[in-house]
Amino acid sequence: MSKIAVVPGSFDPLTNGHLDIIKRAARVFDEVNVVVMNNSAKNSLFTAEERIELIRVVTASIPNVKVEASAGLMIDYAKSIGATAVVRGLRAVTDFEYEMQITSMNRVLDESIETFFIMTNNQYSFLSSSIVKEVAKYGGAISELVPKQVEEALKKKFEA
Ligand code: ADP
């Protein structure tokens, strides 16, 4: 039976930190479904379609990675595709409390789906979509922080 994992997130937009987690999950699981969650209270810069397209282009060379959107409960999405695992990235201790809450809630909703955490690569431990957007907005250099396609998309957004 192939092991399917879900990597959920806002990805507004994808950063090198996200990409690192996706690549590492793809080495461990047979199939990795990156799911762009589109129901949070967060005001997003990119539409769900734009976020998906960017992740698709950037991960095109990884054969076992798929990208989709979901507007419902992440755990329902995971069940619907037969996933047995959820993979999240952990940066600093500040991520811990939030992740603990979500993981506990997801376990209440379905205890058969296990959540795994991948520790960030040191070089990405302070990297977030919000920081990237802030720097890009004021024309700062972000080429080390995001894939090229994301850098271009951000430039376009802030030019408009
Ligand atoms: P969410 O709104 O669900 O937190 P994000 O897009 O911010 O969505 O993050 C998606 C996942 O990627 C989360 O598990 C988050 O902890 C992880 N992540 C974000 N940035 C990094 C990074 N720089 N290094 C490792 N993991 C990260």
Side-chain angles (χ1 to χ4, degrees), residues 13-52:
L14 179 83
T15 68
N16 286 341
H18 292 131
L19 187 58
D20 181 57
I21 298 296
I22 295 168
K23 282 182 179 165
R24 288 161 70 193
R27 278 191 226 126
V28 176
F29 292 94
D30 299 314
E31 196 184 298
V32 167
N33 276 62
V34 179
V35 58
V36 173
M37 301 305 299
N38 199 24
N39 53 350
S40 77
K42 290 183 185 173
N43 272 328
S44 53
L45 176 65
F46 291 92
T47 65
E49 291 71 28
E50 289 170 331
R51 287 180 267 158
I52 290 171

Side-chain angles (χ1 to χ4, degrees), residues 90-103 117:
L90 268 189
R91 285 163 293 187
V93 272
T94 43
D95 277 345
F96 186 82
E97 214 166 279
Y98 174 69
E99 294 296 337
M100 184 94 177
Q101 267 185 23
I102 307 250
T103 304
F117 292 96

Side-chain angles (χ1 to χ4, degrees), residues 116-143:
F116 292 86
F117 292 96
I118 297 183
M119 199 62 77
T120 187
N121 230 312
N122 282 350
Q123 67 192 114
Y124 305 133
S125 55
F126 296 104
L127 182 53
S128 67
S129 298
S130 327
I131 285 208
V132 165
K133 283 183 278 191
E134 196 64 17
V135 175
K137 188 173 168 183
Y138 297 106
I142 51 166
S143 56

